[in-house]
Amino acid sequence: MTIIDGKALSEKILIEIEKEHSELEKKVGRKAGLAVIIVGENSASQIYVRNKIKACERVGFYSETIRLDENITEENLLSEIKKLNNNSNIDGILVQLPLPEHIDELNIVNAISAEKDVDGFHTTNIGKMMIGDESGFLPCTPAGVIQMFEEYNIDLKGKDVLVIGQSNIVGKPMTLLLIKKRATVQVCNSKTKNLSEKLQKADVIVAAAGSPKLIKATDVKEGVVIIDVGINRVDGKLCGDVDFEEVSKKASFITPVPGGVGPMTIAMLIKNTFKSYKQKINKSK
Ligand code: NAD
């Protein structure tokens, strides 16, 4: 059994970006820049934003955090986004989700210039992903999972893959990227019947339900590949959707939580921001 080390892989990606960025910065005279907008005081969001900014600093990017009151109007939030769209020092804009209920998330995500949408949530980038136009930005979590498969030479062609969860940010884009790798994909949600039966037949399982210990050793077959996207807090400790201790005894590859998909998501955000920076440099030539 091999533990897929997302922390080490993300570190490798960040080191490469740091090096390439420092050379480019000398030539063009400015750093790549990421702006993160956070609305309200959601404690998980605060941690995620802090980690994203830390990664920016780690690779030498410029970063800005814009903290807004949770009662901000949608109109005022839109005007903050407009300023960042027009700011030539900013290559990537990210609005940390979830937003307070009075704000329409889709409106906000689509107000970000598609060319700066480094989360890959803008309708234009989702469309580009759908048809395989590589000029767009891929959503960070599924893109990170694909990088893990590639790094560990896990061939998906013809494999039966079960994706658990069908959200816009994980399950659905994950499915599209797996299809592109020629996998045969089945997608489950909380209404799916006989989940255990489906789990037992899968060669690869991508779990993104947000339900601790949803997947147990008796659910999976010998040699299964397990990607655990879930982040749950149980008794103050982080865990995924998979019973790691037991399932790892049967798996051929498995990601841990923490130290698996989480750091890869951040590395992909940095990668997208760097891609946007390079696209802008090429455009201005
Ligand atoms: P979500 O709540 O939007 O979607 C969860 C999906 O799982 C839904 O489609 C739901 O129907 C399905 N589901 C829930 N229980 C199920 C069950 N028992 N059987 C089958 N399907 C079930 O969540 P999300 O935003 O997609 O996130 C999913 C999980 O991944 C969460 O734990 C989240 O914290 C984590 N996450 C991790 C990262 C990372 O970087 N590691 C990034 C994003 C999300």
Side-chain angles (χ1 to χ4, degrees):
M1 182 273 299
T2 302
I3 295 180
I4 299 181
D5 190 343
K7 199 154 186 280
L9 177 55
S10 70
E11 186 58 23
K12 188 171 127 186
I13 293 165
L14 294 181
I15 287 170
E16 279 165 16
I17 293 176
E18 181 186 16
K19 191 164 164 276
E20 206 189 321
H21 175 256
S22 95
E23 283 159 16
L24 260 180
E25 185 199 346
K26 279 183 220 139
K27 280 193 207 145
V28 298
R30 86 166 174 92
K31 291 173 189 282
L34 175 71
V36 181
I37 296 180
I38 176 161
V39 181
E41 300 293 330
N42 180 313
S43 59
S45 293
Q46 300 284 343
I47 297 170
Y48 295 144
V49 167
R50 210 180 310 136
N51 288 338
K52 290 168 187 175
I53 296 297
K54 244 171 58 189
C56 270
E57 289 166 357
R58 155 84 181 68
V59 294
F61 288 4
Y62 167 74
S63 64
E64 265 180 44
T65 310
I66 295 135
R67 294 181 184 282
L68 301 170
D69 188 89
E70 68 172 296
N71 296 316
I72 190 168
T73 61
E74 188 167 317
E75 198 186 346
N76 286 346
L77 179 53
L78 288 169
S79 105
E80 290 291 336
I81 292 171
K82 200 169 168 194
K83 279 190 254 170
L84 295 169
N85 282 341
N86 294 326
N87 182 341
S88 56
N89 287 320
I90 296 296
D91 303 287
I93 304 168
L94 176 164
V95 178
Q96 185 65 42
L97 303 178
L99 289 168
E101 275 188 10
H102 66 279
I103 295 176
D104 181 337
E105 274 185 5
L106 189 59
N107 253 353
I108 296 302
V109 165
N110 279 335
I112 297 170
S113 155
E115 291 172 4
K116 296 190 178 189
D117 164 46
V118 288
D119 251 343
F121 296 161
H122 191 288
T123 308
T124 298
N125 285 317
I126 301 287
K128 285 186 174 183
M129 172 177 59
M130 178 86 187
I131 58 169
D133 175 345
E134 292 187 355
S135 69
F137 299 106
L138 296 177
C140 299
T141 300
V145 171
I146 293 293
Q147 285 250 266
M148 286 170 143
F149 287 130
E150 286 174 356
E151 176 74 14
Y152 283 82
N153 295 317
I154 299 167
D155 188 6
L156 295 162
K157 258 187 248 98
K159 296 279 165 63
D160 289 327
V161 183
L162 197 69
V163 175
I164 306 173
Q166 55 175 47
S167 70
N168 286 338
I169 64 166
V170 188
K172 282 187 207 159
M174 188 74 252
T175 302
L176 282 176
L177 298 182
L178 288 164
I179 289 170
K180 202 173 164 216
K181 290 280 189 191
R182 315 293 287 162
T184 305
V185 189
Q186 192 171 24
V187 189
C188 303
N189 59 56
S190 54
K191 302 279 185 279
T192 297
K193 287 181 290 179
N194 308 325
L195 179 66
S196 179
E197 236 171 63
K198 293 177 174 63
L199 285 165
Q200 266 152 19
K201 289 188 187 138
D203 301 314
V204 178
I205 296 166
V206 180
S211 178
K213 297 205 177 171
L214 176 67
I215 298 165
K216 301 175 189 65
T218 47
D219 293 327
V220 301
K221 69 177 176 191
E222 204 66 52
V224 66
V225 175
I226 301 271
I227 305 289
D228 193 352
V229 181
I231 301 179
N232 309 293
R233 201 170 277 279
V234 177
D235 301 329
K237 266 184 76 182
L238 281 187
C239 67
D241 290 350
V242 177
D243 181 349
F244 182 88
E245 211 160 288
E246 292 305 314
V247 174
S248 59
K249 291 176 189 156
K250 281 177 101 175
S252 55
F253 292 89
I254 187 165
T255 62
V257 178
V261 178
M264 287 303 292
T265 297
I266 293 187
M268 293 302 105
L269 173 69
I270 298 297
K271 194 172 169 186
N272 277 349
T273 305
F274 193 44
K275 177 176 177 177
S276 169
Y277 172 69
K278 288 192 286 188
Q279 283 177 341
K280 281 177 195 64
I281 294 169
N282 286 335
K283 248 191 182 173
S284 64
K285 271 184 189 163

